[in-house]
Amino acid sequence: MSSSTTLKTASGLSPATRGWLLGALGVGIFALSIPMTRLASGSAADPQLPALFVAIGRAALAGLLAAGWLLLTGAPRPSAAQWRLLALTAAGVVFGWPLFLGFAVLHVDAVHASVVTGVLPIATAAIGALLLHQRPSRAFWICALLGAVLVLGFAWWKGGAALQPADGLLLAAVVCASYGYVQGARLSSTASSALGTPLSPEQVICWVLVLSLPLTLPITLMAWPTAPVRASAWGGFLYVSLFSMWLGFFAWYRGLALGGTLRVSQVQLLQPFLSMWFAVPLLGESLDAATVLFSLAVMATVFVSKRLPVQGVAR
């Protein structure tokens, strides 16, 4: 097939299909975030880069790159109303998710973290329903509750009939990420034109990162590592900086804007599986049958929720 034919075929895809494909690309990039964060930070028994440095430093590096991108592309400045949403997005994806995740994976392995964060798709859809004034069916909320119960049950079981502090950190990370995803998607949605001219998905994450630089840069310098670490730890840090914190959002926010937050967010059902599979070769971790079964059960609730009706229009 010629390149022109390929482009013509791609341009003929519906916005919903393109949204799903871009969402899947974003999820594939994000799936490496947990194992790469673990690779960068190490564990409590074998620490590498400081967790604070990994969590905030990745946003600082991505923010410097984002500033260059905005200058090169001549991006317009956001409106006053958009600055507020950008700050809320930053609170979720620049600070909340990386900080809670970074400290959690010091105490639990990447496979465990992948299962607990498997509730992220439902959390994103639920927060999207509340903030975007959409009304999922009662069955959707039942699925959301069931998925949350399964995740908490897994965490309780793996913690020896008790929840670990790290599980609370992981659930807090899920809430922060979901909130940041939804607020960022609002900024690039034409349904939010009352806020001003919608920003492109690329502009959203770039302005979020640039807005955060006055905080992320000094914190990064204060948390700069003083002890030598493995080269692989720096490799993990570079990945979460360039891909997890920046380029992955190019695809993810565009996918949410094209296909709808509630629908495209469910593509994340693939993320825990991918994260666990990546953790095995990257970190030498192992999968047991019970972990896989819990993951399948959580993913089943997400898959069912994707097919349930949604009423209302995002605004």
Side-chain angles (χ1 to χ4, degrees):
M1 181 180 291
S2 66
S3 59
S4 61
T5 303
T6 302
L7 290 173
K8 182 177 180 180
T9 301
S11 64
L13 296 174
S14 68
T17 300
R18 284 187 288 148
W20 271 83
L21 291 174
L22 286 167
L25 175 60
V27 163
I29 293 172
F30 293 151
L32 272 163
S33 295
I34 291 177
M36 285 298 186
T37 298
R38 173 83 172 187
L39 189 66
S41 300
S43 64
D46 182 27
Q48 293 299 305
L49 294 170
L52 181 62
F53 173 78
V54 175
I56 302 300
R58 70 185 204 166
L61 176 55
L64 294 174
L65 295 171
W69 187 91
L70 291 169
L71 286 173
L72 287 175
T73 59
R77 291 178 61 85
S79 67
Q82 288 171 333
W83 280 119
R84 182 180 67 85
L85 287 186
L86 287 168
L88 293 174
T89 304
V93 302
V94 173
F95 296 100
W97 166 264
L99 281 169
F100 287 126
L101 176 66
F103 285 105
V105 297
L106 288 174
H107 305 286
V108 295
D109 59 32
V111 169
H112 180 106
S114 298
V115 175
V116 175
T117 57
V119 76
L120 185 58
I122 290 178
T124 302
I127 292 176
L130 294 173
L131 296 182
L132 303 178
H133 306 283
Q134 295 184 335
R135 299 191 303 277
S137 64
R138 181 177 299 178
F140 174 89
W141 294 115
I142 292 174
C143 281
L145 179 60
L146 179 58
V149 168
L150 285 168
V151 166
L152 289 172
F154 170 82
W156 179 83
W157 171 66
K158 291 291 283 187
L163 291 176
Q164 305 176 60
D167 294 321
L169 293 175
L170 290 170
L171 292 175
V174 165
V175 172
C176 289
S178 302
Y179 183 77
Y181 289 165
V182 173
Q183 295 291 16
R186 289 179 67 190
L187 285 161
S188 56
S189 171
T190 55
S192 298
S193 57
L195 299 172
T197 303
L199 303 176
S200 73
E202 297 82 7
Q203 291 168 357
V204 169
I205 189 57
C206 285
W207 280 117
V208 163
L209 290 166
V210 169
L211 175 65
S212 304
L213 278 175
L215 286 176
T216 57
L217 270 180
I219 293 174
T220 299
L221 293 175
M222 288 190 299
W224 196 272
T226 56
V229 298
R230 291 189 291 266
S232 59
W234 284 109
F237 174 76
L238 287 176
Y239 182 91
V240 296
S241 300
L242 298 178
F243 295 95
S244 301
M245 194 72 259
W246 189 39
L247 296 177
F249 281 98
F250 280 37
W252 181 240
Y253 277 144
R254 186 166 292 279
L256 292 177
L258 284 172
T261 301
L262 267 70
R263 297 301 184 196
V264 175
S265 66
Q266 302 310 287
V267 181
Q268 290 174 306
L269 65 91
L270 300 173
Q271 190 164 324
F273 286 115
L274 294 175
S275 293
M276 289 188 291
W277 292 337
F278 289 142
V280 173
L282 283 173
L283 303 172
E285 296 182 8
S286 59
L287 289 172
D288 56 61
T291 297
V292 174
L293 287 175
F294 265 102
S295 297
L296 287 171
V298 173
M299 294 308 103
T301 65
V302 175
F303 180 78
V304 171
S305 71
K306 181 184 77 68
R307 294 175 167 272
L308 296 173
V310 175
Q311 298 177 349
V313 179
R315 65 177 185 268

